[in-house]
Every structure is written in structure tokens, then in C-alpha cells.
Amino acid sequence: MNADIQDQSLQGRRGSETTQASKAKWRSLFAFTTHSHVLTLCLALSLSLASGVITPVLSYLLGKLFDAFTSFGAGKSDGSELISKVSRYCIGLTALGAASGILHAGYFGFWLVFGELQAKCARDSLFAGMLEKDMEWYDMRKDGTEALIQRLQTQIRELQMATSQPFGFAVQSTVTALSALGLALYTAWDLTLITIATIPFAAIILAWISAKMQPSIDAQAVELSSASKLANNALQAIDTVKCFNGQDFEIFKYARVIRRAAKKYLIQAKANALQIGFVRFVTLSMFVQGFWYGSHVVIQGKKEPGQVLTAFWSCLMALQAVEQILPQMLVLEKGRAAGATLAAILSQMGRRGRVIMTGNLAPQFCEGDIEVRNVSFRYPSRPEQPALRSASFFFPAGETTFVIGKSGSGKSTLGNLLMRFYEPIDGEISIDGHALQTLDVQWLRNNITLVQQQSVLFNESVFKNIAFGRRDWDKVTREEVRRSIETAMLQHTINDLPMGLDTVVGTGGSAMSGGQRQRVAIARARLRDTPILILDEATSALDHISKGLVMNAVREWRQGKTTIIITHDLSQIDEDEYAYILDKGVIVQEGYRYALQKGTDGPLGAPRRPSVTFPTSKRLPKLPEENRRPSYATTSTGPRGSTVSMRSHDSLNIQYLPRPQSVYVPGIFRAASEHPGSLRRSSQFEPFLNMNRISGLPSMFTPSPYGSPHQNSSTDAAFDWPSPKSRRQQVQDLTLVNELHQTRKSAVGTRKIRLPLRRLSEAVPMQTMNSPTGERPDHANTSDGLGPRRQLAPIKKILLTIWPTLSWKHRLSLITGFACAAVHAAATPVFSWVFSKLLSTFFLPENRSREALKWSLSVFGVGGGDAVVAYLMHYLLESCGQAWVDCLRTEAMKRIVDQPRAWFDRDKNNVASLIECLDRNAEEMRNLLGRFAGFMFVVVVMLLTALVWSLLVCWKLTLVGLAAAPFMYAVTKSYQAVNGRWEDRSNEAGTATAAIFTETFSNVRTVRALTLEAYLHKKYLKSTESALNVGYRRSAYSSIFYGISDSGIVFATALIFYYGAVVAASRAFTTQNIVTVFSMLLFSFSNANAIIAFVPQINSSCATATRLLRLAHLPHKSSHEHTGHIRIPALGVISFDNVHFTYPSRPHGSVLNGLNLKLSPNTSIALVGSSGSGKSTIASLLLGLYPPTSGIVTFDSIPCSELHVPSLRSIIVVVPQTPQIFAASIAANIAYALPEHSTLASRAAIERAAEMAGIHSFITSLPRGYQTLIGEGGTGLSGGQLQRIAIARALARQPLLLILDEATSALDGESARSIRDLVRRLTSQGVGVLMITHDGEMMSACEEVVVLKAGVVEERGPFRFLAQKEGGELQRLLSDG
């Protein structure tokens, strides 16, 4: 009923993968490692081991160098001897630098390759594994398939990141720590043991903190999955969101879930910061016991100062190596959890439910005899509701059989079972005498074609979408496709497309209307031409003429072939065609139509005198066997033999004159046996039929009398609509309450989310701001699915967007965080200075122990302070980083839903790419502030402090050290540029791969029905192979520059020591000053060099930040939806004056061509016309989804462009043909976007709306009633049930104008009749109804009919007059042309 209900439902639903992830082991990182990866892994490990030894060797050489300077400072050697020793060791450093460059380049490159291999293996394994999973598995995804797909892509990325450079760094650092520790033990084991005495205790503390981190990682992943689900629902249903003023409602829900995820992440950030601070303290505090004991052994002459320095330096490097692992721990922990989750998903194959038999029988021929015996079935997502109950059917080979029934009666379930999407709980299904379980699934699906109401098209050309009907689609000729097009009456549509058959239909077929998509699906089925065809409401979106012509063509094509037509449109049934009638999963009637009509009850009972005479229809007679055409024969639509039949689009009854209601007892008409062939049917199911003759079974199709539009019935009191005056006042109240509700929510959002557009535009001047839609032309090259290819935004400009987005609380945290970073940076030079004082104690002739103790305690103090500021720095910056990306996420979401409807029609703005940007991209972007900005600030401050200090102490040596800076800068910038370029290309390849993954599993039913698994698998493997090749090149180029940059530091160290020896020998500066400069420069260079290791991750974060910032910079409140400010209490006369309109995504085809139309308020008008005549476009213009290309639309003489669109949408409500349902309870769906304290959102109002829509009794029959979860991850409902919920949602708002856009296409006759009654009642109560329909009976319920043709009004008048007008357009539409 409100956001709380939805959030509670999201919180309470958890997949079993979460449990697996919480028990993740470190071996989960290698869950997708195969034998072919072993060589790469071994090379990466070997090079990591070798490169890990570089640091201990460097420690050894540094110890020797310090020993030489110590001897010189103590007067034990002269200047020439010092230069000689230092030169020798500097040569060793140079050689070590060269080896370091080669080894580091090798291990870095191989680890990147290993990460790419893990990602490819994970992608391939998941794709192959999910192709094998049964539909039950998909139905039981608690957050729905769409949210699962998005999380899988994020987790693959997390696994890839963890198993590439972060894991390589961890391995190298571990080797470095062990090697350094081994060297220390070898040099001075007693000193080493005393120095590291606190390490075991520290290890226990760190392990405990790490264990506390994992649950929060899992909890955050669940919340992010919920956020992705909410965003996906909102963007998939953007029309509904806009038409119901649900933008702020969706933003509010999304921001709330994001805040919950942020709380979970801050627990991780706090734990990670605590680890870093604690290790920092342990690292520096060990100087107390270490140097105290070191001085002691030197005084006693047991050790040389060089030995003490080597041992101590080695211990320090070992702990620093451990410290370097900690920033990577969060990445590794997430990778571990991701690996465990992905592995858990794969391990679930076949685990759920019963053991399913997989046969391998593939008969040479398929005759098409289908027998269903006593089958019962329940959908896994709603086990309490039987879909079929002991149902038995027989579909003889070569005949057409109809299955009809109310919405939710189990009609579509039959098709799902025949395709083996599910297994029946009881009973048996056989084809040609072979049990379904024994047949090979591929054979089965290659011999059965299922065409469903929601026809799915792939993001390919029209030609390829039709060619997919054949397994050898790549060998299909254009002539074969053209013949199939003729059957589906697609010729004119194809001719109107800009590139004909080669026109790409867009994601999900977005470039085509619903009717066009259905005809493409029928053409695909025609090309497939299997022995068995199942049409499941496959023509529901077609106009009357198209439907009639297509059905005639299908009849001709399917002569002599088994055809099952699932429908509720009785006009499609011929006199001599057999029909089964279902009710609540039970067959209540069966027989030939002509025989069933002789009865007095049921949907096919003897017709009473209809109130309107419909034109007769014509059909071709069935051809004898010898005259049947081959599969790909050109179909004919010529004259057919006359057969009188009732013509209705959706109903099971035509409108009859009032008559007393009668009680209908389900049974079988005895007259059925009078027709030849019916004996076979009856005898086949005699036991079942006898069972169904039990009296007292509930009636399914009880005719309801119609009164006049103004006639009151005994039930009307329950549906009383407020009077026009009171309703207008209520609408005004609703508008006011809604505005207050939105203002309150906006205020809440503003308090936490502030993103001034001007400030951000200054910070990151994006070129997208130039155009009205915030984008460059579509023909620009794209770097991802979100927009034109552009260079990565510089990190400086990205970071400048932080300050404007933060609240003052977080701004203070940011200032404090950087202040702590400054103190943390200064701690290193201070430590270097104190450390040099410790070193100088070895030169002292006396009081050496006391001085050593004094400076050791000073180090202890520096360590304690540094640990505190390190903790505060990391935590506060992570906290601000989270607030920053959450603000940008919410701002991006706000701006996305604010974009005009045309923006969503572009392929580059597809929902999958938008969700990826809000989810994975935002997570990576946070690292720029949380992990990298603070670290870079520390390095800059540290370098400046150290350089200034060093210049004051020994300017000559400092300047020589700075001489290496230009080289290091050039190498680092080159490395960053090369890595950034290839990182962007790698992201492009990953996005393309994810798009194929999403398209496949979002439409998995269609993929399986067309047996496209092999094609899409091959396409996906090609895409992942391409991504891997890009990864190979990225690894090669990046590793070369990484090796050069790493070795440069060692070369600079050799230069500094050599020149330091020259300066010391000249006696220009004291040895103590030179050693001080050594310490400062070496520590500073070492920390600066650490930035290079983060360059790949920084570039990746910059790439993702650029994409998210693009969305956060989209124009806000600048579209046509925000130009007007006039609020109208009533509609008045609606006028279209010379209106032309062309969809921006289809600029080559004009929809409205100078439309002139006036719509009177408080009347019911039927808008009629063939597909593509502009009916739905008129509804879109009325609701302000699009502005007219030219002309003007006025409401009571006020132009639509001057009206306040949200208030207009509060009094005009649309019910689309395809209902858009949100992942929430039924109550929340009906009360969608209504203020929670509004009377319209009360339980009574919701139930009243549901009762008016005829869905109340069904809802109350559910175990949880109105709190039943539906939508993604919830209880599955039939198309008709979803349509009635959508109607209830519209009625709950009590509009002044109700637009029903083919809103009864999925309803059975009884339900459609109740909607016609509702239209009459609403009109009598002053509510305007605009009925967009193809159905004659729905037209007859309206006071006036407007017929459109080619985007203009062709004729207008009362239905009875136009239907009988000779040569009229309406008569032509109703008579199949």
C-alpha cells in the first residue's frame, strides 16, 4: 500500500546464495579455475614469488649501504672507501632494478590475464549452466530474474577484480613479508623474535575483525540487489511511472534502500579502517623493543650496526608488506563472496524439486497426436493454487482445436507443459503415443512451435528475427522470409521500415508496436512450420481486419497439421472446430462449436437475439489432403465460402438483451456426439466426462444482463462514484495531497541528497549539456551502452563534484578526513626524522642505550598518533565516498525518470545499461574518494613535507633525488594513459557481453521455445572471447609500463645513495644529515610508488564515474513535461487541431497526419482503427508523454503545453494493453504512487476499486489476499488477472477521464462484460471513458465511435449506425475487410 510494504517484502526475501556467500572460503576465489588456467596461475605465482624476493634483497643492500655510511660516520673508513663500497652496492641496486622491472611486469601482466580468464570462465559457466536450468529455478528467484542478472554481472566483475592485481599484490606482499622475515631471522634471529613478539597477538585481532566484515558484505549485496530490482521495475514500467506521477515515489523507495546498503558498507569500511590503523600502530610500536634490544647487542659487541639495521629493516618491510595487503582486503573479501555466490548458483542445477526425466527418443516423424491424461499442475511460485486439476485433452493429428476459458483458468499452462518448460505433478502427456518424458527435449521443441501473447523479439534485424524460426537460420533465404511475411500480413509494415527487412528492431523489439511484434512472431512460426503449432492469444494485439486475415491465412497454412489455439475470442472458432472450455484448471465443457451452441448454457450456448447485428465473415473451405500446399507455399487471402459466425475480439458472449439469470451446471452437451468424429472424442474421455457431470460445481460463465447505460442495478450501490462536483473537489484534494506528499519526500531527499546542477556542471563540463536531451547525436560512436564515446573525465574534475553533493555533516567529515590525512602524511617524515635519530645512536660513543630508548619511545608516540589518524582518515573518507555516490545514484535516478519518454526509446539508454551504471559503476566510483583520494593526498603532502625538510637538511642530495622526478612522472602518466585506454575498451567489451547475457535470460522462454540456445551460446562465447582478447592486450601494454615505473624507483634509490656518498666524502654535510635525507626520500618515494599499483583500479573507477556523472548531469525539468503551470479542475472539451506526430525513434513514419478531433467530457468514446492508425498515440499525447510534432492539443481551449502535466495526469488515467506490474503486494500495486495517508489509498478504497474491476474475489481467494506479492520474484498471475489489477489501479484514483487502451484484450467474456457494464456506470456518473479497442462489443458499450485511418478521422458516430453503414470503414473493420 506504500513504500514500507514494498521495502518489507524486499527485505524479507533472500536467496539461498546468500547463505553460501556467508560461508565463503578463500578457495572461492578459484571456483572458476580450470586446468587450462593452471599454467597462467603458476607463472603468475612464480613471478609473484620472485618479485616478492626483490624487497628483502633491497633490504639487504640498503643494510650494507647504511653500514658503509655508519662506518664512515664513526670514522672507521675514509671517503674513497665509502664511495667504493657504495658504488659496488649501487651497481647491485641497478641490476636489482632491472630484474624488478621484468619480474613486476611479468607478475602484473599474468595476474591481469588470470583475472580475465576467471571472468570468462565464470561468464561461460553461468551462461551454460543457466541455459540448462528449468523454468522452476527462474520462477523461484526471490528478487526476480532481472535483478539476478544485474547482480551476476556485478559479482563477475568483483571476482575478476579480486583475482587480478589485488590478489597478485597480496601474494607478492605475503612473499615479501615471509622473505623479509626469513632474512631478519637469518641476520639476527634473537633481535627479530623480540621485534615481532607482538605479531601473533596482532594476527588474532586482525582475523577477528576480518570475520566481522563478511556478514556485512553479504547484507550489502542483498540490499544492492533490492535497489537494482526497484530501479529495474521503475525503468521497465516508465510509462506507468510517469502516467501515475510515480517519479518521486520511485526515487524515495530507491534512496531508502540505497541508504540501507550504505549502512552495511560503512560497517565494512569501519572494520577495514580499524585493521589499517591497528597494523600501523603495531608496525611502528615494534621499534620500542626492537631498537632497545638492538642497541644493547651493539654495545655488547654481539652484532654490527649493519646487521641490526638489516634485521630491523627487514622486520619493518615485512610489516609494511602486510600493511599494503589491507587496502586490498575489502576487494578480496568481496571477490571471495562473489565467487562463493556464483558457485552456489551453478551448484543449484537440478537440486530443486523432483528429479526430471530427460529422454533421448527422437522419432523420425511427428504426426501430431497429443493426449493429456489426468494432468495436475501447480506453478512453483504459487504452490497453493492449482493451475490444472486432473485435466484431460485429446488433440488429434491434423486438426485445429481451441482451448478457451476465463483468465487464470489454466489455458497457457497447457502450452507450457507441452513445451516441457515444467513437469506435471500428476498425470501423463504423450505425443504420437510416446510419453513426453521419454522424448528428446530438442526434438520436442523442434516439432512444436509456441507463439505467446507477449511476442519476444531479439535485438537483431527483422530478417534474422524471422529466420530464427529455423534451426539453420543462417541458410534461410529472403524469398522464404517473404513468403512467411505474407502469412502474417507484414508486407506493408516491412515496406514502411527505413531499411526494410534489415531494420534492427531494438531491445525487446522496441522499434515495433505490439501488433507488429505479434505478426513477426507469427511469420517466424510460419517459417518454422512445425507439425504442431500452439497459438496462445497470438493475435490479441491485432485489429479486427488484421486478425481475421491472419487467422484465415493460418487456417490455410495449417490444414492437415495439428494446431492448438488458446484464446477467449469465440469469433475465431468455426462451426466444425472442436473446443475445450476450462474453468479453474478443470474442463467444464468440450465439443464441436455447432453442437455446443445447441445447448442453453455456457459460453457457446444457443445465442439469444443479439442487440446488434454484426456483419458475417468469410472463410476459405478446407482443402482436401491432395491439394495441400507445401510448407512454404504463398498464402492466399482470396474469397472463401461463407460461414455465419459471431465476431468478437475478446468475449465469450455477445451483448444480449436482458433476460433472467440462469444457473449453469458444467457438463458435456450430448449433442456433441451428433457430429462425425465426436464419438472418438467422447469415448476417449468418458470416465473424465462422467466425473464432471456432478451437480453443484461452481458456474463459470453465467450470462449477466445488460441494462441501459443509465440503468441502476442492485449492485451499483457498491460502486457509487462521487458526483462530478464532489469528485472534482476530491481530485483537487488529491492533487494537493499528492503535491504535499511529493514536497515532503523531496524535502527528505534534499536533506540527504543535494546536487546543484550549476555547481556540478562547472566541476565536470560535460558536452551532453548542449542538446535539449542532454546527448550528442545518435550517430556518434559509443563507448558503452549509455552514450557517446568520450575520454575519461580527469580524476581532478571528478573529485570536484564531491563537495557540492555532501550535506554539512559530511562536509565536516570530509574536512576532518583530509586533516587526518595531512597528519598521517606528516607522520612519515616525522617518523623518518626520528628513525634517523635512532640510526645516529649507533654513531654515539656514549649514552647509546638511553638515547636509543628515548627515540624508540618517540617512535611509539608517533605510531600511536598515526594509527588514530589513519583509522579516522580511512573511515571518514569512506563514509563521505559512500554519501557521494549515494547522492549521485539518487540524483541520476531522479534525472533518468524525469527524461522525456522519447529518451527511453533510444537503444543506448536501454534499461540493462542504466541499471549497471547505478549498481556496479557506482560501487567502483566510490573507491576514488574512499580508497584513492586520501592516499594520493597523503603522498602529495608527504612528498612536499619530505622535500622541504630534505632541502633544508641537505639541498644538494635532495635536488639530485628530484632529478629523477621528470622521468618518473612521464612513465607514470604514460602508464595511466595506456591503462586507461585499454580499461575503457575492456569495459566496452564487458558491456557488450552483459547485453547478450541479459537478452538471453530475460527472454529465456522464447529462447527455449525456438531452440536458440546453441545460437545465443555461440554468440555469447564469441563475445566473451572478444572480451578476453581485449583483456590480453590490456594486460600486455599495462604490464610493460608498470614494470618500467616500478624499476624507476630502484634506479632513483641507487642514484641517491651514490651521490650521497660523494657528498659525504666531501664533508659538505654531516653523515647524520645525509642519513636523514636518505630516510625521508626513501620512505616518500616508496609511498609514492605505491600509487602506481593502484592505477588500473583508479582508471576503472574513473571510467565508471564518467558514466554515472553523465546520468547525474542529464537535463532536469527541461522537457516539455515541465513547460506548463496551469492546473485545471475539470477537463472540458479536448481538441486536437491539425496535429501531426512522428515518433522520434521512428522518424521515417508519420503516425498522425493533420488530426482534427474533439472529445467531449463525461462521455464514452470508442477509438477504433487498424494497427498503426494512431489510436495509442492519441492516448500518449493526452497524457503528455510526447509533445505533438506540429499542431496543438487543447483542454478547454488551454494548450497542453501550458498545463501542469502532473495535475493533468491525476485526472486522466490510462490502462495499457500490456499491464505493468511492480514487485510489490497487490494492494501496493493498486494504490501505486498514491499518498499513503490519502483516503484513496485506504484498504476500503483499494477493495472497492478491485471489486469494480472484477478481481476482488480472486484476490481474497489467495492465502495472503491483498498482501500477496506479485511481479518479479512474486506470485505469477495470468494476463487477464494482471489486466484487471491494472484496471483497479486506474479506478482507485477516481479519474475524470479513463483511457482503456485495449485493456480487455486478455480478458475472458465474463470479465470483458463486467468492464462494459463498468463503462456504462462510469459514464452515467459523469466520468469520461476513451476506449481504444478492436472489439465490436466494447464499441457497442460506448456512446460514440471515432474511426481512424492513416492518422486522421475517417468517420464518427453511434456504433449502431456506423456498423450498419454500407461501405463504411467501421463495417469494413468488423467484417474482416
Side-chain angles (χ1 to χ4, degrees), residues 546-657:
S546 298
K547 182 186 299 185
L549 293 175
V550 168
M551 286 305 299
N552 289 345
V554 167
R555 274 191 168 82
E556 180 186 1
W557 156 40
R558 297 302 298 177
Q559 289 183 40
K561 299 173 184 177
T562 306
T563 306
I564 302 172
I565 300 178
I566 298 170
T567 185
H568 54 255
D569 184 0
L570 297 186
S571 65
Q572 298 183 12
I573 309 177
D574 271 352
E575 297 293 311
D576 58 346
E577 289 178 327
Y578 205 86
Y580 289 96
I581 301 176
L582 282 173
D583 182 22
K584 298 179 181 178
V586 176
I587 298 174
V588 294
Q589 279 187 295
E590 66 169 296
Y592 291 93
R593 171 167 181 158
Y594 86 92
L596 295 179
Q597 286 180 154
K598 295 180 180 179
T600 57
D601 296 304
L604 289 171
R608 276 75 66 190
R609 181 169 53 88
S611 60
V612 177
T613 303
F614 293 97
T616 60
S617 64
K618 299 180 180 181
R619 297 191 189 281
L620 276 173
K622 289 189 176 182
L623 297 177
E625 183 73 27
E626 59 271 20
N627 292 335
R628 288 180 188 164
R629 297 190 176 188
S631 300
Y632 298 110
T634 304
T635 57
S636 169
T637 55
R640 294 176 176 236
S642 299
T643 303
V644 178
S645 75
M646 299 177 293
R647 277 303 184 194
S648 166
H649 170 58
D650 61 312
S651 67
L652 293 178
N653 279 346
I654 297 180
Q655 177 184 346
Y656 299 112
L657 295 178

Side-chain angles (χ1 to χ4, degrees), residues 216-282:
S216 62
I217 292 176
D218 302 334
Q220 185 204 13
V222 170
E223 297 296 353
L224 288 177
S225 180
S226 298
S228 294
K229 180 178 178 179
L230 287 174
N232 184 74
N233 280 183
L235 300 184
Q236 292 281 10
I238 190 63
D239 285 353
T240 300
V241 171
K242 285 180 172 291
C243 293
F244 285 80
N245 292 323
Q247 294 96 321
D248 285 345
F249 182 68
E250 293 296 338
I251 295 165
F252 179 77
K253 289 189 300 175
Y254 181 76
R256 179 156 57 180
V257 178
I258 285 297
R259 285 196 293 271
R260 287 206 304 262
K263 290 179 181 178
K264 305 301 181 183
Y265 180 78
L266 290 181
I267 296 174
Q268 305 165 39
K270 187 178 293 185
N272 192 240
L274 189 60
Q275 286 179 324
I276 293 172
F278 182 71
V279 170
R280 190 74 178 169
F281 175 74
V282 171

Side-chain angles (χ1 to χ4, degrees), residues 107-117 164-165 1034-1035 1038:
Y107 103 84
F108 185 81
F110 277 110
W111 278 116
L112 285 180
V113 169
F114 182 72
E116 294 285 349
L117 290 172
S164 53
Q165 60 260 41
R1034 165 179 168 244
S1035 304
S1038 298

Side-chain angles (χ1 to χ4, degrees), residues 1045-1228:
S1045 62
D1046 188 83
S1047 62
I1049 294 295
V1050 184
F1051 295 149
T1053 303
L1055 176 64
I1056 292 170
F1057 269 101
Y1058 175 76
Y1059 190 73
V1062 174
V1063 172
S1066 68
R1067 304 288 182 178
F1069 295 92
T1070 65
T1071 304
Q1072 181 176 347
N1073 287 343
I1074 292 173
V1075 171
T1076 299
V1077 173
F1078 282 160
S1079 299
M1080 288 187 179
L1081 291 181
L1082 289 178
F1083 275 110
S1084 300
F1085 284 176
S1086 176
N1087 282 282
N1089 188 50
I1091 291 181
I1092 297 173
F1094 289 110
V1095 166
Q1097 296 175 58
I1098 291 173
N1099 281 332
S1100 177
S1101 296
C1102 285
T1104 55
T1106 302
R1107 299 180 183 187
L1108 183 58
L1109 285 172
R1110 173 205 168 238
L1111 296 180
H1113 283 79
L1114 289 171
H1116 185 51
K1117 293 191 175 181
S1118 60
S1119 70
H1120 69 279
E1121 297 181 9
H1122 301 282
T1123 57
H1125 303 285
I1126 299 176
R1127 291 173 168 83
I1128 53 175
L1131 288 174
V1133 176
I1134 303 172
S1135 178
F1136 289 77
D1137 298 322
N1138 195 30
V1139 171
H1140 291 77
F1141 180 77
T1142 301
Y1143 283 99
S1145 60
R1146 290 173 265 166
H1148 301 284
S1150 179
V1151 181
L1152 299 180
N1153 301 288
L1155 176 70
N1156 291 289
L1157 174 66
K1158 292 188 183 297
L1159 303 175
S1160 301
N1162 311 328
T1163 60
S1164 57
I1165 299 175
L1167 206 56
V1168 182
S1170 59
S1171 297
S1173 59
K1175 305 183 298 298
S1176 297
T1177 300
I1178 290 174
S1180 297
L1181 295 179
L1182 286 174
L1183 287 156
L1185 291 176
Y1186 298 91
T1189 305
S1190 64
I1192 188 171
V1193 181
T1194 61
F1195 292 81
D1196 202 13
S1197 301
I1198 303 172
C1200 185
S1201 58
E1202 298 179 12
L1203 293 178
H1204 184 246
V1205 173
S1207 64
L1208 181 67
R1209 291 172 178 170
S1210 69
I1211 58 178
I1212 301 177
V1213 179
V1214 64
V1215 181
Q1217 178 180 1
T1218 304
Q1220 294 170 317
I1221 300 299
F1222 298 90
S1225 66
I1226 294 176

